[in-house]
Amino acid sequence: MEQVRNDVRNIAIIAHVDHGKTTLVDQLLRQSGTFRENQVIQERVMDSNDLERERGITILSKNTAVRYKDTKINIIDTPGHADFGGEVERVLKMVNGVVLVVDAFEGPMPQTKFVLKKALELELPVISCINKVDRPGARPEKVMDEVLDLFIELDADEEQLECPFVYASAKNGIASLDMHKLGDNMEPLFETILEHIPAPKGNFDGPFQVLISTIDYDNYIGRIGVGKVERGSIKTNQEAIMVNEQNPELHKKVKITKLYEFEGLNRMEVDQAEVGSIVAIAGIEGIHIGDTVCNAEHPEALPFVKISQPTIAMTFSVNDSPFAGQEGKFVTSRQLRDRLFRELQTDVSIKIEETDSPDAFKVSGRGELHLSILIETMRREGYEFQVSKPEVLFEIIDGKKNEPMEIVTIDVPEEFMGTVIEKLGKRKAELINMTQSKGGYSRLEFSIPARGLIGYASEFMTDTKGNGILNTIFDGYAPYKGEIPTRSQGSLIAYETGESIAYGLFNAQERGTLFIGAGVKVYEGMIVGENARLGDIEVNVCKRKQLTNVRASGSDDALKLSPPKVLSLEQALEFIEEDELVEITPENTRIRKKILD
Ligand code: GTP
């Protein structure tokens, strides 16, 4: 029989990196009376892992629970970085609503959009929490509008648009429904959660099913599967069956020896848990994300979010330099291998493969950041090894090569815009959007093959003197676009469009592709192809179209066009030999035809 668990709420906290998710959960924990007076409280209790604390980012989702009045609120903290995007979707499957935290100064950021989109797609009710209202320059009213605009952009339905707004200073532990008058504590947020997030409901009496959504690891009890009881009630010392929808072969008899629910930051052992509860199950060897633990007589697997495929690989190998063994205590290939394979227990987006050499392992993950965190964690643990340059993993479908794409969102002061556009252009990025953001910053959005981003983050930091913000989000696969040119090649061409002259580099190796090389400035109002991007133009899909507000600058020694300018044909001839020039005339080539089409 379907019943409602009025004593429980399951929520996820979603936000862009640094908007204050962890601080907010800390406050809810503190104020729900979870902490005793004399308990030592670390500054941010949620991020237990040292590396997380140092980098200030949440890597794996954490479960916690607070009590407010008679209700237990299970809170799932979600990772803030897009490389771990699959995890966000999985934890959202466990909850009945989300609290979207948005910085009252910064407003919605790329990750805000990404996580909100996921929540809306799953039809979850959203509470928007405008945080950091104490910040100098906070603009809660504007940010509220921006959040609503985002809801509209993401096609939120009427009900979702009615979402309540709570204003908070998580740092000071206060919240309010009125942006002009802050309260004394977090009660307004607790109350809003109780009121707007539906209680979980389900069949109390049916054969039990628990869908495993995350994996924890504990040195004492080993591997722990965490998930929601989707039906019935689970008890300890019960025979059960573990099944998996995507892996029909998995049909394993198991015994529930230890069962936990969350209380504060701890796991508390329980004998039984009902539908709607979030539980941790220990003692099942090989338990995996996506498995369903169910009643032994009714082995029915629940459907589950597909795990995203890795996009970047690196080879980890034993250090063979003359200085090997000086920094780490674990140096052998056996130690390296064991450590890497252990990582598979908690991180489902990682893949480890043996290679031809017993000293080297191919490690694939969800992006450069994902792998760099693993590398750093292992180095801190005392593992000494070397890593190769990252390599992008292509997807081959019907013999065609597809490459992983990323959406890059960049906020930069205007003075650095030219350099960023130029550099990314060379890396095959396509500028897809450009808007003015606050404080003299511009926001640029690019679509770029993942391999174009390799090594870019540090270049970006240097180019923007540390003033830029860069975010990337995995954007599926697209047909392979050819090699990323390392330098300009081909010869200069010029063509008249009737209103102005555009010019670029014609790459002889890729017929039909016109590169607008570095050093070329595309002026406002200049006529270029529809798909023109700073970097290249696919001439074969060109249509006449005016791109406004597109600017690029830079210099290219090969062209000696500095400062860049729009050239007449005669001027273009000063830079190239006449026989190198491909002039696009009505009689000329397929390129011309496509431009005129
Ligand atoms: P990730 O774990 O990386 O996803 O970040 P997060 O969203 O959990 O952010 P976190 O709680 O770590 O906060 C980021 C920074 O913002 C920290 O330096 C906090 O002290 C600060 N912060 C959080 N809440 C507030 C607030 O209400 N006011 C002010 N002024 N600062 C805050």
Side-chain angles (χ1 to χ4, degrees), residues 310-528:
T311 54
I312 295 261
M314 279 169 154
T315 304
F316 287 37
S317 52
V318 169
N319 192 354
D320 59 7
S321 88
F323 305 109
Q326 295 194 346
E327 283 166 24
K329 52 181 184 219
F330 305 119
V331 294
T332 67
S333 57
R334 181 63 198 249
Q335 288 163 331
L336 182 63
R337 183 183 188 285
D338 288 353
R339 175 61 185 86
L340 284 173
F341 279 89
R342 195 164 80 232
E343 190 66 17
L344 290 176
Q345 302 192 327
T346 50
D347 188 343
V348 280
S349 357
I350 217 148
K351 209 166 128 190
I352 317 276
E353 291 161 278
E354 314 262 3
T355 65
D356 293 342
S357 154
D359 290 337
F361 306 90
K362 184 172 169 188
V363 182
S364 312
R366 298 278 315 125
E368 254 189 314
L369 181 73
H370 187 197
L371 293 186
S372 75
I373 286 173
L374 174 64
I375 293 167
E376 229 172 292
T377 306
M378 286 176 59
R379 293 221 159 114
R380 278 165 199 232
E381 289 168 1
Y383 288 85
E384 194 180 304
F385 54 100
Q386 44 196 24
V387 296
S388 69
K389 275 201 186 135
E391 152 210 354
V392 163
L393 301 166
F394 294 98
E395 181 189 77
I396 310 280
I397 293 178
D398 297 335
K400 291 215 177 70
K401 194 165 164 183
N402 286 327
E403 59 191 332
M405 298 295 292
E406 305 272 342
I407 296 284
V408 186
T409 309
I410 283 174
D411 288 280
V412 274
E414 240 154 67
E415 56 191 295
F416 302 118
M417 229 164 64
T419 317
V420 168
I421 294 176
E422 184 208 328
K423 289 274 179 78
L424 281 177
K426 282 185 176 166
R427 290 164 171 268
K428 293 233 161 174
E430 180 180 343
L431 184 62
I432 50 179
N433 203 359
M434 181 160 122
T435 46
Q436 211 60 29
S437 50
K438 65 256 153 193
Y441 273 64
S442 291
R443 172 165 299 179
L444 308 169
E445 261 183 280
F446 297 89
S447 164
I448 186 171
R451 72 210 153 98
L453 278 174
I454 291 177
Y456 181 66
S458 58
E459 207 175 286
F460 174 77
M461 286 303 273
T462 315
D463 287 349
T464 61
K465 302 198 166 62
N467 288 306
I469 304 169
L470 177 142
N471 280 284
T472 65
I473 285 176
F474 176 63
D475 189 35
Y477 287 85
Y480 177 64
K481 287 193 177 156
E483 288 307 305
I484 302 237
T486 46
R487 59 184 184 83
S488 314
Q489 40 187 310
S491 50
L492 190 68
I493 65 162
Y495 61 85
E496 237 178 307
T497 61
E499 285 165 70
S500 63
I501 305 241
Y503 58 89
L505 285 173
F506 180 64
N507 184 332
Q509 270 119 51
E510 288 184 73
R511 285 171 61 82
T513 300
L514 178 74
F515 286 97
I516 285 196
V520 174
K521 196 160 188 167
V522 179
Y523 288 95
E524 214 166 293
M526 181 169 167
I527 309 279
V528 287

Side-chain angles (χ1 to χ4, degrees), residues 158-302:
E158 299 243 323
E159 221 171 297
Q160 288 169 325
L161 274 172
E162 297 278 299
C163 93
F165 276 80
V166 178
Y167 303 88
S169 165
K171 194 169 105 179
N172 301 325
I174 49 180
S176 167
L177 299 182
D178 179 351
M179 73 175 82
H180 302 296
K181 200 164 147 255
L182 275 193
D184 304 321
N185 51 39
M186 298 301 276
E187 254 193 287
L189 181 57
F190 278 118
E191 287 291 338
T192 310
I193 291 171
L194 256 47
E195 197 179 321
H196 286 272
I197 309 292
K201 56 181 179 197
N203 183 336
F204 267 62
D205 313 315
F208 86 89
Q209 278 178 310
V210 179
L211 178 60
I212 303 303
S213 300
T214 52
I215 294 287
D216 267 353
Y217 192 82
D218 182 300
N219 279 340
Y220 298 102
I221 45 179
R223 219 168 147 77
I224 303 163
V226 178
K228 191 167 83 183
V229 184
E230 300 285 350
R231 189 175 64 194
S233 119
I234 178 172
K235 298 183 184 69
T236 48
N237 297 318
Q238 199 176 18
E239 296 284 340
I241 297 259
M242 187 162 77
V243 285
N244 187 305
E245 194 211 27
Q246 280 166 36
N247 176 10
E249 312 234 306
L250 180 76
H251 198 100
K252 187 175 165 185
K253 270 200 183 146
V254 295
K255 189 159 181 184
I256 315 291
T257 50
K258 281 191 189 304
L259 185 67
Y260 305 84
E261 286 203 36
F262 295 89
E263 263 332 315
L265 289 169
N266 304 312
R267 282 185 293 262
M268 303 283 285
E269 238 184 297
V270 294
D271 296 330
Q272 174 171 345
E274 269 76 43
V275 66
S277 294
I278 291 183
V279 294
I281 306 174
I284 301 185
E285 208 181 299
I287 195 165
H288 235 274
I289 286 179
D291 292 345
T292 309
V293 179
C294 42
N295 180 297
E297 266 90 64
H298 298 269
E300 298 160 70
L302 289 158

Side-chain angles (χ1 to χ4, degrees), residues 18-23 44 56-58 131-132 134 169-171:
D18 275 353
H19 281 194
K21 208 163 27 107
T22 306
T23 311
R44 294 175 53 193
I57 62 170
T58 306
N131 186 36
K132 307 199 192 182
D134 61 284
S169 165
K171 194 169 105 179

Side-chain angles (χ1 to χ4, degrees), residues 14-27:
I14 58 178
H16 186 79
V17 178
D18 275 353
H19 281 194
K21 208 163 27 107
T22 306
T23 311
L24 189 85
V25 177
D26 283 357
Q27 279 299 345

